[in-house]
Each structure stands twice: as structure tokens, then as C-alpha cells.
Amino acid sequence: MFSEKQLVNIDLVMNRIREFEQRALLLYKEGVVTGSVHLYIGEEAVAATACELLDERDYITSTHRGNGHCIAKGHRTDLMMAELYGRSTGYCGGKGGSMHISDLSLGNLGANGIVGGGMSIAAGAGISLGVYKKNGGVVLCFFGEGASNEGVAHESMNLASVWKLPVVFICENNLYQVFTSVKESLSVEDVAVRAAAYNMPGETVDGNDVFALEESLGRAIERARKGKGPSLVEAKTYRWDGHYPGDGYFLGGYRSVEEVEEWKKKCPIKKLEDYLLERKIVTGDQLGSVKKAIVKEIDAAVAFAEKSPWPEESEVYKDVFYGDTAE
Ligand SMILES: Cc1ncc(C[n+]2csc(CCOP(=O)(O)OP(=O)(O)O)c2C)c(N)n1
Ligand SMILES: [Mg+2]
């Protein structure tokens, strides 16, 4: 069970993700941030809870919607903001943008613009930890329900099962893949039932509920640490904003305003904060101070990004190709 301190930390991480992304959205609309930013607002509980269960032995693989995973795994918001600004001080020297943020020293094997791309990387990292290092470390593999329809999902989960790799596959089922509903694209109601095909445990949980996530992910992580193999946890959740900031939330008619508003009532941050307040774990003033401090942190991140230099022209091929140049 999470301690009170951990619950307070999860609340802080969720607020940090929310504020970072709200600011990123604003900056995108102002034309300051120009690369695509896929927002995680509404889904924060999944990353914040999952990463609270990890330690320094562990890895994550992320997705195109990766800001939340990166923040939850301890990335600095100033270096992330600089990356969104395309500045040389960013995590990828300004050349990757939101979809490529990674820091191996923090155990983040990368956000990934290829849907499902993180899944085979997770299996590979699982081989490193489970077959070679055998240190009890685990890999948390975040992916969407859309990715679960890709061939790589099958290959990765099958191999992880056969070799009993310490991987926890976390499907963030937000009901849409770009503008396509799960009703039109998914052969099953719950992605978790697919776990049976890979002879691993599969569970569907409320992805906006920190406690449900803790229970299910905690079990899966424990199993992986003991060398018993992978699990599949499906977190049902919802993205409040567009697939990308430009799509608005319901342009194209792929979902209704009412549906978005219904999900906003299930806000994961409010849900946890109601719990913390009811049990007098925190006061309203304390929550207010946390939010204020985060606004200040993100103000400073934006200021840092704005005053950071652009990458040098001479660096254009650096870290892009194997070796030093494109030749
Ligand atoms: C291999 C591949 N196919 C298609 C795309 C285009 N694309 C980007 S995001 C996305 C939808 C992914 O849906 P899901 O896995 O449910 O993640 P979500 O965006 O809902 O978080 C698609 C089709 C891509 N980036 N990579
Ligand atoms: Mg989806």
C-alpha cells in the first residue's frame, strides 16, 4: 500500500504533468512550439502511479503521448520544455521534440513516434534485465489500445511470455486511435483478455483511479521481479484534448462534447485530491501551495527554454545517423 507521502507525491506528479501540458498546448496555439505534442491530460494517474512503484533498477518504454511518462520517471521539466522549443539545451539537443524524449540515466528508453515501437524495445530490455542482469529489475511498457492491434504487440508479448521476461505491459486504453473509436477497430471489449493468448495474467482497471492501478500494477511488478514473467494491465482512461493540439476536441465529429465532459468529471487528480482532503492527509492550503509551486516551476521552464540557444548548424547530423555524418 502506498504511504501517505507517496500519495502526496503522486498528486504532485499528476499536477506537474497537467501544468506542463496545459502550457505546452498554449504555446502550441501561439505557434511557439511547432512540433506535434500529443497531450496526456486526463490520463495522468497511469504514469504517476506506475512510476511510483519503480526503483533505480527499472526501465520504462513510452509512446508518442510520452510527456506524462517522462515527467513521472523524473525528467526535468525545463529540459523537456527546451526540447519542445527545439533548443540545444533540450533532452535531444532540440532535434527530437516531444516524441523522442529519453534519458537512459533515468531508465527511460524513450518516447516513440512509431505506434507500438516501444513494445519490442521493452522485450529487449526485459532480456537484458531478466536473462543477463537478473537483478529483479522490471520494464514497464506503456502503449495504447491502438498499438495492441499492431504485429509488434503480438511478437513482443509472445516472446516476453516464452522467456518469462520481467515486463509489465500497460495498455492505456483511451478509447480512440486518432479519430477512430475502439468500437470500430478493436476485436475485443477489453484488451486485457488478449493476455490469455500469451499465457500471462491480464487485468482491466480504472485508469483514473490511483488505488486500482496500484493494486493491479503492484501485483504485476512483483510477479516480474520474482522472475515469474510478464503481465498485461489495461488501464481504461481518456484523453481530454485532441489527438494532437490542432484537432480541437471534437472537430470531425468523432466524439461528442457530452462524452468529453462526462470523462472530465472522472478527473484523476480531483479523485485523488478528494481522498487526500477527506482523510485530512493534506489541507486545501497545502494543495494550493503545491499547485502554485508547480506553476512557478513551469514558468521557469518556459523562461529557460526561451533563453536557450538554437542548435548550431554544424550539429545538424549529430546524433541523427550512426557515426558522425550522413555519409
Ligand atoms: C506504426 C505507426 N502507424 C501509424 C502511426 C500514426 N499514428 C500516430 S498515433 C496513432 C494512434 C495510436 O493510437 P493508440 O495506440 O490508441 O494511442 P493514443 O494516441 O490513443 O494514445 C496513429 C495511428 C504511427 N505513428 N506509427
Ligand atoms: Mg488510444
Side-chain angles (χ1 to χ4, degrees):
M1 279 276 285
F2 283 136
S3 65
E4 291 184 359
K5 200 173 151 203
Q6 284 179 301
L7 290 173
V8 169
N9 189 51
I10 290 170
D11 176 60
L12 180 132
V13 169
M14 288 200 289
N15 275 288
R16 182 174 281 139
I17 297 170
R18 174 97 30 121
E19 184 62 30
F20 180 88
E21 291 215 312
Q22 279 173 345
R23 203 69 69 89
L25 175 59
L26 217 65
L27 292 162
Y28 184 94
K29 284 183 175 163
E30 286 171 3
V32 178
V33 166
T34 50
S36 197
V37 187
H38 301 91
L39 300 178
Y40 194 63
I41 293 173
E43 307 187 22
E44 296 95 338
V46 188
T49 309
C51 291
E52 186 66 37
L53 293 161
L54 299 183
D55 63 42
E56 64 290 339
R57 293 168 293 179
D58 304 326
Y59 290 101
I60 65 165
T61 61
S62 176
T63 66
H64 56 287
R65 200 174 298 291
N67 296 325
H69 310 137
C70 295
I71 290 175
K73 197 71 175 75
H75 288 50
R76 283 171 48 177
T77 48
D78 53 352
L79 305 188
M80 286 180 63
M81 194 59 85
E83 189 55 42
L84 265 56
Y85 266 74
R87 303 303 168 97
S88 64
T89 50
Y91 271 108
C92 311
K95 289 182 285 187
S98 165
M99 279 190 281
H100 297 94
I101 291 174
S102 69
D103 186 342
L104 300 192
S105 71
L106 292 171
N108 175 12
L109 299 173
N112 203 314
I114 299 169
V115 170
M119 300 186 78
S120 52
I121 295 173
I127 295 171
S128 161
L129 289 178
V131 178
Y132 295 105
K133 286 192 187 157
K134 294 192 173 154
N135 63 356
V138 301
V139 188
L140 290 194
C141 172
F142 295 99
F143 63 104
E145 82 290 349
S148 79
N149 293 334
E150 296 271 350
V152 69
H154 169 72
E155 295 172 48
S156 307
M157 290 197 269
N158 181 64
L159 189 77
S161 176
V162 171
W163 287 354
K164 288 197 174 353
L165 302 178
V167 183
V168 177
F169 293 96
I170 306 179
C171 180
E172 299 179 312
N173 185 348
N174 60 10
L175 312 182
Y176 292 90
Q177 307 100 54
V178 191
F179 306 146
T180 306
S181 161
V182 287
K183 291 182 195 136
E184 300 163 74
S185 57
L186 206 59
S187 60
V188 287
E189 192 165 329
D190 297 324
V191 172
V193 304
R194 290 181 170 169
Y198 309 111
N199 193 24
M200 63 171 84
E203 286 184 9
T204 299
V205 292
D206 178 348
N208 288 12
D209 182 336
V210 167
F211 300 100
L213 286 162
E214 178 194 10
E215 203 188 314
S216 187
L217 288 170
R219 221 179 354 254
I221 290 171
E222 199 47 34
R223 177 180 147 87
R225 290 206 194 287
K226 286 186 179 149
K228 293 187 175 167
S231 304
L232 171 59
V233 175
E234 175 190 21
K236 288 255 166 81
T237 184
Y238 199 78
R239 66 167 157 76
W240 291 8
D241 286 277
H243 171 71
Y244 52 86
D247 92 34
Y249 13 96
F250 43 86
L251 291 181
Y254 70 98
R255 59 183 186 170
S256 67
V257 188
E258 291 76 24
E259 181 182 287
V260 178
E261 293 310 315
E262 271 313 302
W263 274 94
K264 283 189 175 175
K265 289 184 195 149
K266 302 180 206 167
C267 174
I269 300 182
K270 182 169 185 315
K271 197 168 176 139
L272 179 61
E273 290 183 351
D274 284 349
Y275 176 95
L276 296 173
L277 289 168
E278 263 165 37
R279 284 168 183 70
K280 302 198 186 330
I281 296 170
V282 294
T283 63
D285 282 352
Q286 284 168 327
L287 285 183
S289 306
V290 168
K291 288 177 200 285
K292 261 194 206 150
I294 288 171
V295 170
K296 264 192 160 173
E297 175 190 322
I298 304 302
D299 284 344
V302 170
F304 172 79
E306 275 171 4
K307 70 170 193 308
S308 292
W310 294 99
E312 293 292 332
E313 221 174 299
S314 60
E315 303 242 306
V316 74
Y317 292 126
K318 189 169 172 274
D319 302 327
V320 175
F321 297 95
Y322 179 76
D324 291 334
T325 67
E327 282 142 34

